[in-house]
Structures are given as C-alpha cells and as structure tokens.
Amino acid sequence: MKRILYIMLCTALFTGCSEDFTDLAPISNRNEADFYNTAEDFEAAVTASYAGLQSTGVYGRGYWTMFEMRSDNTDQGPDATGLARQYTEINAFTEDALNEQVTSAWSESYRVIANCNVILDRIPNVELDAALSDQLAGEALFIRSLMYYHLAIGFGNIPLQLTPFVAGDELTQVDETTVLQQLVTDLTTAEQGLPVSYSGSEVGKATKGAAATLLAKVLLTLGENSAAETVLRRIIANYGYELVPNYSDLWGVSNENNVESIFEVQYISGGIGQGSLFTNDFSPSTDLQTGSGFGRNRPTQSMMDAYEDGDLRYDVSMAATYENLEGETVEQLHVKKYQSDLAIENDSDINFVVFRYADVLLMLAEALGETSESYDLINEVRNRAGLADIDASSPGTFEEKLLQERRVELAFENHRWADLKRFNATDKVIDAEDFITGTREYFYIPQREMDINPNFVQN
C-alpha cells in the first residue's frame, strides 16, 4: 500500500477540491468525462483518498489534537505562544472559531469526503467487474465514514454531504445522531463489499474488519449495544485478528500492518511529502531524532499515574525523562509510541494505527456490560501487559474499570475523547484540571465556514 500511495500520488490532481472553504466540490468536475472511465481511474482516485488521511488536518495532526489533547491524556505543557497557543487553548477548552488547528481538521476532512463523494457518484455509471466495483465503493465508504465519525464527535451538528457538491447548493446541518445513523448504513454496505484481507502491495487498504470495527464503535456511540455485540463477535470469529504476544511488537516500522492491526494510515518517508510528523512533533528534544523536537502532545501527570505498577505498556508508550547528548537526564513527559529513525525532519516512515484488535475486545466487553465474559475480555488485554486479573470485586464500577483499561491500552491512539463522551465522563476531565477554564465540549465550526453559510448554528 505504501508503494501504491507513492506511485499514484499524482492522481490527487484529479480528485482535488475547489478553493471554497468547505471543499465539497472537486476540481475533477471539469475532468470527469476524461478520468472516471476505467478501473485504473477509480483505483487511482481511491488511492488519492487514502493519501488524504495523511494530511496535517486529519491524522497528521488534527485528530490527535481533537481526541488526545482535548482529553486528559495529553496537553501542550506551559508553552502558550505562537503555534503552541492554539494547542493550549484546545486543551483548556478556550479555543474560538478562528483556531487554525480546528479549522484545518474541518477543511481537510471535508476535502477527503469530497473525493469519496465523486467516486461513489461515478462508479455506478461505469461498467466494472462487480467484485472490484463493490470493493472500490466499500473503500470510499469506509474512508468517508472515518471522516464523518471524527467530525460528528468533534463538532456535533455538521453538514452531511453524500453527493458531489454543486456550486450554488445550500448546505444543511444535521445533528450528530443523524450523521452516525448514516454511517451505520454506509459501513454495513462497505463491510459487505470489502475483502477480509489483501496481499502484497495492497496490504493496508480497508478491509471487512476495518469497516466492521468502525461500525461497532458507531453503534456503541448510538447506545445500540446489542447490535454492536453482533458486529464485534463477527470480527472475532471471522476476520483472523489476534493480539500480538508483546505490546512492544505493535510499534515501529518493522511491526506495521501486523496480525493485531485492523487499519493503519500508511506513511512513507523519503522526501516525497508523505512522511509523518509524529516523531518530531512528540519528541521533547533534538537529542532524540533528526531535526527539531517540538514536545507537543505531552502526556499529563494524570496519564502517567494511570499506569499500574508493573504495566509493560508504560515504557513502550511514554517516558518521564530522556537522556540528552551530554548524557544528562532531563525531566520531560513525552510520547514514545511513534519514535523512529529519521533522515529528514518531519518525514517519518511510521504508520498511525487507527484500529487494532485489542480495541475490539474491549468494545465487546463494553457492549456486554458487566459479565464474567466481559472481565475475561478485559483480562486478556491486561494479561499481555503483565497485569493480574480483575473481576466484579475489584474497586470501582464496571464502567470505571473498563474506561481505565481503554485509557492505558489505547493511549495516544486518538480514542480517549470519544471514549469519555461515550461513557458520559467528559465533565470529570473538565473538573479535574485546574488549567481548564472553558466548559464547551464541542469544537466551534470555523468562522470562515460560518461566514459562507450564515444558516449554520454552533452546536
């Protein structure tokens, strides 16, 4: 998949978007007659949509800002000037509609959605092999759903555009629940059309398991736990995933797309504009990698304290100190999951793991509620981390224990804010940190978007 992304990067020109801020109308409108005619055309367009996931406003930076830094997992530390100020405001719930990080997340997510809408609109009109047509449509539906899921959780009421935007059309907001209900339909269709797995250079594309995992997450968010259970049991029984034996074997370039991985955003180093920012963004010092260490997305003291003594995930996930080039120990909390050897600054080859099997096991426990099977599922994850079993007699409510386990297992993987919302626990985060002075859970729709669409209202 990484090789495909490199070869087909130029196809983004055909599925790029207009200069309108919402980016719902692709430039390809003027090229459709010449481009969307063959299987190769559609494969190139879908690949361009995958490439869109790499962008700064999506998985490159926007989503960890919205789902990790918004939560109690990470913060920006004491920095409050320049770019850092934008993160500090997000972390303190004081950002406004002009915040550039939030604006980027909105616009670049909708840019990917626009690409997918053109594919889904055109593909029924072209004669393709039926299985390939279903697969390509399934990939586009999954990618679009991934964008809408983050937008709905982050912004609440948003425009739900399912067809190519035509200049002059008026966008209409719908509520978060309506968006999620649409995703249930789309992801069900996507799962049916996608393969269980790929081989060779196609490894990394969306699979049945990827669509089903997002579907289960959406169903849990809607409170449809029984339906989510059905989907999760299907993933476990039919799609071939398992936990890797050691938590450390999940991370690093050599461990990408492993047996536990369900979907990853593929990044490619080499100075071609498709490398990730994670290593430089999260490293606290230039001593740990080539180029700058920006020290962003810093684990909080609360995050560090969440790990139990002996939890093997701690040293893999984060650290409280590092050793500089002079051999001195420097105190600075920082994320370790995305460290890699860089030849060029901001050009890491390391993928971002969006979904993995441990999340499926913990979601099934959530769907079931407090049962002996639920604790078995939680303990399967805990035992890999070197921790003893818990059960109904362990301190805390079932929800508190499950949320705690999700926090340490999935730390820095963009799940925490959505988890807190789903478990109705966001107020505990807002109340727990002295620096948080705002109380707004949803992000502001960007001001430029509000100016273009005066009918919009902030959630």
Side-chain angles (χ1 to χ4, degrees), residues 191 196 208-210 212-213 216 228-243 259-260 262 356-368 373-374 376-378 380-381:
E191 184 183 358
V196 173
K208 287 184 182 294
T213 300
E229 177 190 348
T230 299
V231 174
L232 291 160
R233 291 196 186 280
R234 182 164 68 244
I235 296 170
I236 292 170
N238 298 333
Y239 296 156
Y241 302 110
E242 60 186 66
L243 298 181
V259 70
E260 184 170 335
I262 296 175
R356 55 187 178 86
Y357 187 58
D359 188 12
V360 169
L361 297 178
L362 295 175
M363 283 198 292
L364 180 54
E366 180 181 345
L368 293 172
E373 182 183 3
S374 299
D376 288 343
L377 292 162
I378 294 171
E380 185 175 352
V381 174

Side-chain angles (χ1 to χ4, degrees), residues 159-219:
L160 179 63
Q161 187 73 21
L162 303 176
T163 58
F165 184 77
V166 177
D169 284 356
E170 182 175 337
L171 294 174
T172 303
Q173 283 177 294
V174 300
D175 59 67
E176 180 179 344
T177 297
T178 300
V179 176
L180 296 176
Q181 289 171 339
Q182 179 65 47
L183 300 190
V184 171
T185 299
D186 290 348
L187 291 164
T188 299
T189 301
E191 184 183 358
Q192 293 170 351
L194 291 168
V196 173
S197 62
Y198 298 88
S199 60
S201 62
E202 292 194 313
V203 170
K205 291 184 175 183
T207 60
K208 287 184 182 294
T213 300
L214 182 54
L215 173 59
K217 200 171 290 288
V218 169
L219 289 168

Side-chain angles (χ1 to χ4, degrees), residues 1-9 47 200-203 266-268 272 274:
M1 181 61 177
K2 289 196 176 190
R3 180 173 175 271
I4 292 174
L5 283 170
Y6 173 72
I7 293 172
M8 295 186 173
L9 180 60
T47 299
S201 62
E202 292 194 313
V203 170
Q266 311 288 315
Y267 283 93
I268 311 169
I272 59 173
Q274 294 190 73

Side-chain angles (χ1 to χ4, degrees), residues 305-321:
D305 294 343
Y307 290 94
E308 300 171 49
D309 290 343
D311 192 329
L312 300 176
R313 294 170 292 199
Y314 174 82
D315 286 334
V316 176
S317 303
M318 62 169 288
T321 64

Side-chain angles (χ1 to χ4, degrees), residues 78-327:
D79 298 341
T81 60
L83 180 60
R85 179 183 57 79
Q86 299 173 23
Y87 298 120
T88 302
E89 291 173 349
I90 290 170
N91 188 218
F93 295 74
T94 59
E95 83 288 340
D96 58 24
L98 298 175
N99 187 285
E100 293 178 13
Q101 300 306 310
V102 178
T103 295
S104 177
W106 174 280
S107 60
E108 293 186 23
S109 295
Y110 272 112
R111 187 172 294 120
V112 175
I113 288 169
N115 292 345
C116 294
N117 282 343
V118 173
I119 295 165
L120 293 166
D121 180 69
R122 294 287 294 175
I123 204 165
N125 303 322
V126 178
E127 187 173 340
L128 301 174
D129 173 79
L132 178 60
S133 179
D134 289 345
Q135 176 192 316
L136 293 169
E139 290 177 83
L141 284 169
F142 169 76
I143 295 170
R144 187 178 74 179
S145 296
L146 199 57
M147 301 297 96
Y148 271 130
Y149 170 76
H150 287 84
L151 289 169
I153 299 299
F155 293 94
N157 298 341
I158 59 172
L160 179 63
Q161 187 73 21
L162 303 176
T163 58
F165 184 77
V166 177
D169 284 356
E170 182 175 337
L171 294 174
T172 303
Q173 283 177 294
V174 300
D175 59 67
E176 180 179 344
T177 297
T178 300
V179 176
L180 296 176
Q181 289 171 339
Q182 179 65 47
L183 300 190
V184 171
T185 299
D186 290 348
L187 291 164
T188 299
T189 301
E191 184 183 358
Q192 293 170 351
L194 291 168
V196 173
S197 62
Y198 298 88
S199 60
S201 62
E202 292 194 313
V203 170
K205 291 184 175 183
T207 60
K208 287 184 182 294
T213 300
L214 182 54
L215 173 59
K217 200 171 290 288
V218 169
L219 289 168
L220 288 175
T221 306
L222 289 168
E224 299 180 18
N225 288 19
S226 179
E229 177 190 348
T230 299
V231 174
L232 291 160
R233 291 196 186 280
R234 182 164 68 244
I235 296 170
I236 292 170
N238 298 333
Y239 296 156
Y241 302 110
E242 60 186 66
L243 298 181
V244 300
N246 301 308
Y247 193 77
S248 60
D249 292 338
L250 288 165
W251 314 106
V253 174
S254 62
N255 294 319
E256 291 174 347
N257 303 308
N258 57 62
V259 70
E260 184 170 335
S261 174
I262 296 175
F263 184 72
E264 302 181 11
V265 176
Q266 311 288 315
Y267 283 93
I268 311 169
S269 62
I272 59 173
Q274 294 190 73
S276 84
L277 309 173
F278 308 135
T279 299
N280 289 100
D281 264 3
F282 301 160
S283 294
S285 167
T286 56
D287 297 330
L288 298 182
Q289 78 293 306
T290 298
S292 300
F294 296 107
R296 297 175 182 140
N297 207 33
R298 303 173 187 178
T300 60
Q301 183 66 43
S302 169
M303 182 73 250
M304 185 171 77
D305 294 343
Y307 290 94
E308 300 171 49
D309 290 343
D311 192 329
L312 300 176
R313 294 170 292 199
Y314 174 82
D315 286 334
V316 176
S317 303
M318 62 169 288
T321 64
Y322 67 92
E323 185 175 293
N324 65 21
L325 294 178
E326 288 72 41

